[in-house]
Amino acid sequence: MRTETNINEQEAAKQREIMERLKVRLAKKSEELGRPLTYCSVCFGCQMNAKDSEKLEGILETIGYVRTESEEADFLIMNTCTVRENANLRVYGRLGQLKKLKKKNPEMMIALCGCMMQESLVVEKIKQSYRHVDIIFGTHNVFKLAELIENKLDSKGMVIDIWEGTTEIVEDLPSDRKYDFKCGVNIMFGCNNFCSYCIVPYVRGRERSRKPEDIIDEIEKLVSDGVVEVMLLGQNVNSYGKTLDEPISFAELLKRVEQIEGLKRIRFMTSHPKDLSDELLEVMANSTKICKHLHLPMQSGSTKILSDMNRRYTKEDYLALVDKIKTAIPDISLTTDIIVGFPTETEEDFLDTLDVVRKVRFDSAFTFIYSKRTGTPAATMEFASTEEEIKERFNRLLHEVQEIAKETCSKDEGKTMEVLVEGLDEQDESLLTGRLSNNLLVHFPGDVSLIGTFQNVKLSEAKGFYYIGELV
Ligand code: 5AD
Ligand code: SF4
């Protein structure tokens, strides 16, 4: 376990030096080959992983790799997720296929990183069965990619560097932002909640908050670079700041972020219901920049299951919290995560989940079938229901959630609202796609020059989970 101070500037300087060396070395290689060296970046999982991938891509671009979407690249990096078993299976499937590509291009390097690599059994399996992997690292040392590539170029074997944990935060390294006008900003890392089904605290380590002044600095730089919307990222943003030498609340941080001139929209993810404060609701209600959207994972509606999950709130607590939120911010959009088939869940418990879904009327819900994660407390619990019963419950929940979301999401039909134009519609390139404050998408005719700007759009037709609109 490392115990360095919070921000490690020396480390960042060291990495920048390595990047300079590699740049020269890879330029030579590219000259010998008579073509640019390419990289392909594959990312599974959550917003935290997406943010890490931007950092990895920033390093790769700095040392001279050119991005390609094809896996036939000189450098392939896969940032993995392990929150559910099928995420792991997808990685093994992809690795099998990559073996053939590597035979075709012996220059190819394959790197694996992210949450799945923090599990020792996974690394053992890769060492034994996937010898064509070149570099393995985890969630705590993303900033070290250049150094690991240099090590690989200087050695024959697999380079493996997994840290069990860290108290260190290395900043000020390049990042290849996906959008010019919006950006995710880490405000904290790790999680201390140990929900009994969840592997995240084991693979992302203990909760660490960044200092408010570093966060503000980063956002100010982003804004001067053209960013108008930020998404503050953390596994449990509501407990932000508690571990700092000078503790501050998440609500206080939001107030400071709000003051940044030029910044137009603030989002954040994820809120744990047990830590959501009245102060936060007050700040949200009075803010002109904080988007009217809360992602508030409920996981289950049964007090018994919530207790077995170690969520530290009851069904009644959750419902009372939702009431309080809706009173404080009437036009709020609420979204959630729900797990079906937690080992001890019975039909009666599931009916409690359906009951909460019907009472709250979420704008959308991510629904998951419980997936056993070895090493977590729930992994040793006996199942109270069969697989068929769980699948049937899952389908019932999905149907309910979708029917309600269709209605809830249509409530603004006919109104004119402001969107941030994000890009071309993926299905129909004659349309633009914009995002409302409440996180819903609107597709409407318009010119590409509007991308990155705010526009007023009439929400002409509700389509369930999105709108078709027109510029006004
Ligand atoms: N099985 C199923 N879903 C899970 N999640 C976390 N761990 C598991 C698991 N073992 C879900 C939770 C969480 C979301 C990110 O993933 O709903 O909020
Ligand atoms: Fe996992 Fe619970 Fe932490 Fe979320 S709050 S990352 S579900 S342990």
Side-chain angles (χ1 to χ4, degrees):
M1 193 78 167
R2 300 178 175 244
T3 52
E4 282 96 323
T5 49
N6 223 285
I7 289 208
N8 196 331
E9 277 159 20
Q10 238 178 339
E11 184 63 48
K14 176 178 157 195
Q15 295 303 322
R16 279 193 290 266
E17 224 178 271
I18 297 174
M19 281 185 239
E20 283 308 309
R21 282 205 298 272
L22 269 182
K23 207 166 156 178
V24 178
R25 198 162 166 182
L26 292 174
K28 247 190 225 150
K29 197 162 198 163
S30 156
E31 218 176 274
E32 278 163 27
L33 291 170
R35 62 174 177 81
L37 291 173
T38 55
Y39 81 93
C40 173
S41 168
V42 181
C43 181
F44 297 104
C46 66
Q47 307 261 5
M48 303 289 261
N49 261 19
K51 178 73 194 174
D52 282 346
S53 280
E54 287 189 356
K55 294 179 183 171
L56 295 165
E57 290 156 18
I59 295 172
L60 289 169
E61 305 238 338
T62 305
I63 61 179
Y65 283 103
V66 178
R67 189 186 188 106
T68 166
E69 297 310 316
S70 155
E71 288 191 352
E72 288 190 41
D74 297 296
F75 194 95
L76 184 126
I77 182 139
M78 226 190 291
N79 192 1
T80 62
C81 168
T82 187
V83 77
R84 285 168 291 274
E85 178 67 19
N86 57 3
N88 293 37
L89 298 178
R90 271 162 72 193
V91 170
Y92 292 129
R94 286 287 257 279
L95 277 180
Q97 292 158 7
L98 286 176
K99 197 166 184 178
K100 288 179 216 130
L101 287 186
K102 194 155 172 174
K103 271 213 178 109
K104 253 172 69 185
N105 175 11
E107 296 290 330
M108 183 179 191
M109 262 196 248
I110 299 175
L112 295 176
C113 64
C115 294
M116 192 176 152
M117 300 306 127
Q118 293 292 140
E119 292 179 272
S120 49
L121 287 177
V122 168
V123 176
E124 275 317 304
K125 181 167 171 166
I126 292 170
K127 276 194 336 206
Q128 305 228 323
S129 313
Y130 301 93
R131 298 290 315 156
H132 55 296
V133 171
D134 298 284
I135 301 172
I136 303 180
F137 57 108
T139 53
H140 302 294
N141 49 354
V142 163
F143 66 90
K144 261 184 92 175
L145 176 62
E147 184 175 342
L148 299 176
I149 295 177
E150 189 172 60
N151 290 351
K152 175 63 204 181
L153 290 173
D154 292 334
S155 71
K156 280 213 162 69
M158 206 184 266
V159 171
I160 303 177
D161 190 14
I162 313 283
W163 296 4
E164 252 179 61
T166 184
T167 54
E168 171 178 354
I169 298 173
V170 180
E171 295 180 343
D172 272 341
L173 287 174
S175 180
D176 183 38
R177 292 199 276 109
K178 211 168 155 214
Y179 296 95
D180 293 332
F181 51 88
K182 67 169 190 175
C183 188
V185 175
N186 295 116
I187 62 164
M188 60 202 298
F189 303 92
C191 180
N192 283 354
N193 287 318
F194 290 95
C195 300
S196 67
Y197 51 81
C198 185
I199 202 161
V200 168
Y202 305 88
V203 295
R204 287 256 168 202
R206 292 296 60 73
E207 196 174 290
R208 302 166 311 278
S209 293
R210 287 177 69 197
K211 290 204 191 94
E213 42 297 6
D214 294 332
I215 297 169
I216 302 287
D217 260 11
E218 179 176 341
I219 301 177
E220 278 174 351
K221 275 191 203 128
L222 288 169
V223 169
S224 66
D225 222 22
V227 165
V228 287
E229 176 179 309
V230 289
M231 164 86 90
L232 308 180
L233 297 171
Q235 301 295 348
N236 179 13
V237 291
N238 295 328
S239 72
Y240 169 79
K242 289 186 182 156
T243 53
L244 287 171
D245 290 343
E246 289 172 45
I248 96 161
S249 67
F250 178 53
E252 181 58 36
L253 176 74
L254 280 175
K255 275 202 242 169
R256 294 198 202 170
V257 174
E258 170 117 18
Q259 278 159 21
I260 298 176
E261 221 169 291
L263 182 66
K264 300 274 177 19
R265 273 185 178 179
I266 306 166
R267 300 183 184 278
F268 53 85
M269 274 252 212
T270 288
S271 293
H272 194 304
K274 79 175 164 62
D275 296 313
L276 198 139
S277 68
D278 292 352
E279 190 196 2
L280 173 65
L281 292 183
E282 198 187 313
V283 170
M284 282 183 83
N286 293 327
S287 165
T288 52
K289 295 188 181 175
I290 303 172
C291 291
K292 302 290 182 258
H293 171 219
L294 260 180
H295 186 66
L296 195 66
M298 71 177 251
Q299 312 298 4
S300 167
S302 150
T303 296
K304 156 90 174 51
I305 299 304
L306 288 168
S307 158
D308 291 351
M309 286 178 162
N310 191 30
R311 291 289 290 176
R312 286 171 273 178
Y313 53 87
T314 63
K315 174 184 182 181
E316 289 70 32
D317 292 339
Y318 191 87
L319 285 172
L321 179 63
V322 166
D323 270 349
K324 195 156 77 174
I325 295 169
K326 288 186 173 173
T327 308
I329 313 160
D331 52 346
I332 190 99
S333 149
L334 279 178
T335 59
T336 199
D337 292 343
I338 305 170
I339 298 176
V340 178
F342 183 83
T344 52
E345 183 188 87
T346 61
E347 175 66 16
E348 202 188 334
D349 296 312
F350 175 71
L351 291 178
D352 270 329
T353 297
L354 274 187
D355 186 40
V356 178
V357 163
R358 288 182 185 135
K359 287 191 167 119
V360 176
R361 304 188 62 77
F362 294 104
D363 290 74
S364 95
F366 296 101
T367 50
F368 308 105
I369 289 187
Y370 167 78
S371 167
K372 174 178 155 183
R373 308 315 290 127
T374 307
T376 60
T380 54
M381 294 179 190
E382 298 267 339
F383 274 89
S385 306
T386 65
E387 238 174 86
E388 284 73 52
E389 285 167 336
I390 294 172
K391 279 202 186 122
E392 189 273 330
R393 278 181 211 152
F394 180 80
N395 290 336
R396 250 190 296 161
L397 176 69
L398 195 64
H399 179 77
E400 193 71 31
V401 156
Q402 286 179 343
E403 287 302 306
I404 294 174
K406 252 193 257 168
E407 280 179 35
T408 325
C409 294
S410 313
K411 67 176 184 292
D412 293 318
E413 194 175 37
K415 288 189 195 158
T416 295
M417 295 176 110
E418 189 179 55
V419 297
L420 172 57
V421 186
E422 295 201 337
L424 289 175
D425 178 358
E426 279 171 15
Q427 318 294 330
D428 177 352
E429 296 221 331
S430 71
L431 300 177
L432 294 174
T433 294
R435 194 177 292 271
L436 293 162
S437 166
N438 69 13
N439 213 32
L440 281 188
L441 296 180
V442 188
H443 306 292
F444 56 96
D447 191 82
V448 283
S449 63
L450 298 179
I451 293 172
T453 65
F454 286 93
Q455 298 295 328
N456 286 322
V457 173
K458 179 166 182 208
L459 311 178
S460 327
E461 199 186 342
K463 288 280 193 183
F465 305 100
Y466 64 93
Y467 287 99
I468 295 292
E470 56 200 282
L471 282 166
V472 293

